[in-house]
Amino acid sequence: MSKTIFITGTSSGLGKLTAKHFAQQGWNVAATMRSPEKETELTQYPNIRIFKLDVTNLEQVKTATEQAIATFGKIDVVVNNAGMGTYGALELAKEENIDWQFAVNTRGPINIIRAFLPHFRQNNGGMFINISSFMGITTAVPLGSLYNMSKFALEGLTEGLYYELKPLNIHLRLIEQGGSKGNNFVDSVVWNQNDDIIAYNELTNKLKNLMGGRDESMLDDPMIIVNAIDDLATGKSNKFRTVLGDMGNMLMNMRSSMPIEEYLEKMAKLF
Ligand SMILES: NC(=O)c1ccc[n+]([C@@H]2O[C@H](COP(=O)([O-])OP(=O)(O)OC[C@H]3O[C@@H](n4cnc5c(N)ncnc54)[C@H](OP(=O)(O)O)[C@@H]3O)[C@@H](O)[C@H]2O)c1
C-alpha cells in the first residue's frame, strides 16, 4: 500500500518540489497551501490532493488535517515546510511582523504537530520532518534576529519533543538547509525599515545587496534537500539533524570550532 506524506507550504520552492518528487515515487501526497485556487501544476498529479491551509489559522489546520486523514486513511510523514522571513533591525520591526514571524515559522509547526499527534498515537507511529535552516543553529548575518529566533525555537521545540514522542514511536527530524535555488524566499522577505532612523541603514543596505545580488553558484540544488527528505521519510537515514550545503556546513563547523565570542566577532567583521 502506498504511503502518504502531508506537506505544508507547497505553492512554491522546496514544498512544491517535495510534493512532486514524492508523487513521482508513488506516494500519496496531501499538498497544502494558502491559495489552492492558484495552483495549476500539482493538480496534474492523480496521487496529489490539495488542501487549503494557512498554518497560522487553527480552523484551517483542523479542517485540512481531518480532510487529509479522511482522504488517505493514514498519514505516515508530515513535513513542516511553510516558512517566511522578516529581516531588519529589531528596533524598527512592526509589532505584527514580530508576531507573524513566530506565528508562521514556530507556532505553525506546533499547530500541525498537535493536530497530527492523536492520529500518530492511534497508528503507533509517524514522523515529523521540520524544515529549519542553518539560521536555526547558528547566526550568520545582521538584522536576521527574528528569523533566527523563529528557527532556533523550532530547533528547541523539535529537540525537546524527542523525549516525549520516542516512547510513542513518533520520529522527529530536522533539515538544516542553506540558500537554495528555485524558491521565493528572498523575494518574499518582509523588511523592517524606518526612513527616520538611519542608524541601521548601512547594515541594511549591505544585507539587501548580499541577498539581492546573491551568487547563484553559492546556492544549493534543491534536489539535494528533497533527496534528504526522501532518505528520512523512507528510513534510509535516521539522522536527527541533516545539515545540507557547503555554506551551512562551513558555518556550523566554524561555530563549533571556536568560542562563541570569537565566532560573533569574526562574523560581525564581515559586515
Ligand atoms: N530559501 C532559503 O534560502 C531557505 C534557507 C533556509 C531555510 N529555508 C526554509 O525552507 C522552507 C521553504 O522555503 P522555500 O525556500 O521553499 O521558500 P518559498 O518558495 O518562499 O516557500 C515558502 C512556502 O511557505 C508558504 N507559506 C508562507 N506563509 C505561510 C502560512 N502562513 N501558511 C502556509 N504556508 C505559508 C508559502 O506560501 P505562499 O505562496 O502562500 O506565500 C510558500 O509555499 C521555509 O521553512 C524556509 O524558512 C529557506
Side-chain angles (χ1 to χ4, degrees):
M1 206 177 91
S2 296
K3 288 196 163 190
T4 303
I5 189 165
F6 179 102
I7 311 168
T8 65
T10 60
S11 65
S12 63
L14 179 64
K16 175 166 278 191
L17 210 55
T18 305
K20 285 183 346 192
H21 170 82
F22 276 86
Q24 284 156 4
Q25 297 304 308
W27 285 57
N28 297 316
V29 180
T32 71
M33 59 186 72
R34 290 194 288 186
S35 310
E37 65 283 359
K38 294 186 191 158
E39 182 59 37
T40 54
E41 204 178 344
L42 298 185
T43 47
Q44 306 303 315
Y45 291 77
N47 48 344
I48 297 184
R49 284 288 304 274
I50 298 174
F51 301 96
K52 183 176 177 65
L53 175 59
D54 177 332
V55 295
T56 68
N57 181 322
L58 282 173
E59 267 308 306
Q60 288 184 18
V61 169
K62 186 172 183 307
T63 307
T65 53
E66 283 176 0
Q67 284 178 348
I69 292 167
T71 302
F72 294 114
K74 180 172 179 250
I75 307 292
D76 299 280
V77 177
V78 170
V79 182
N80 278 308
N81 164 73
M84 54 80 71
T86 184
Y87 281 80
L90 185 69
E91 183 185 346
L92 310 183
K94 291 196 179 121
E95 296 298 334
E96 64 262 30
N97 291 347
I98 298 171
D99 293 337
W100 193 244
Q101 181 67 99
F102 186 77
V104 179
N105 290 10
T106 316
R107 192 66 164 95
I110 291 175
N111 296 338
I112 300 297
I113 290 169
R114 280 166 54 84
F116 273 109
L117 280 176
H119 182 66
F120 279 1
R121 265 194 303 107
Q122 209 170 14
N123 296 340
N124 297 315
M127 180 182 286
F128 294 109
I129 301 177
N130 292 340
I131 306 301
S132 184
S133 164
F134 62 79
M135 292 278 277
I137 20 184
T138 186
T139 51
V141 293
L143 311 179
S145 64
L146 289 172
Y147 187 71
N148 277 133
M149 173 274 301
S150 70
K151 293 294 192 185
F152 268 63
L154 180 63
E155 299 274 333
L157 174 82
T158 312
E159 210 175 299
L161 272 175
Y162 185 86
Y163 304 103
E164 71 201 56
L165 298 187
K166 183 177 163 54
L168 305 177
N169 195 34
I170 298 171
H171 305 291
L172 291 153
R173 307 285 184 247
L174 278 159
I175 294 271
E176 324 291 359
Q177 70 145 315
S180 56
K181 296 182 183 117
N183 57 70
N184 294 340
F185 186 82
V186 170
D187 294 335
S188 307
V189 163
V190 176
W191 285 94
N192 292 297
Q193 264 181 289
N194 177 340
D195 290 342
D196 298 334
I197 299 175
I198 59 165
Y200 305 103
N201 278 8
E202 199 182 328
L203 277 182
T204 306
N205 290 337
K206 280 186 180 162
L207 185 63
K208 280 191 170 175
N209 286 339
L210 183 76
M211 281 187 172
R214 64 199 184 285
D215 178 357
E216 279 276 309
S217 68
M218 297 281 287
L219 298 175
D220 295 322
D221 174 353
M223 277 314 291
I224 295 172
I225 311 166
V226 174
N227 289 331
I229 296 172
D230 186 308
D231 283 352
L232 294 171
T234 54
K236 281 189 212 102
S237 165
N238 59 5
K239 273 188 167 177
F240 179 71
R241 279 198 171 86
T242 304
V243 182
L244 295 161
D246 294 340
M247 177 77 78
N249 276 294
M250 189 263 289
L251 287 167
M252 293 281 295
N253 290 339
M254 253 177 84
R255 169 98 182 220
S256 57
S257 69
M258 61 185 78
I260 180 68
E261 295 79 7
E262 198 180 323
Y263 178 84
L264 291 171
E265 280 309 309
K266 247 189 170 61
M267 298 308 288
K269 279 204 183 97
L270 297 176
F271 292 87

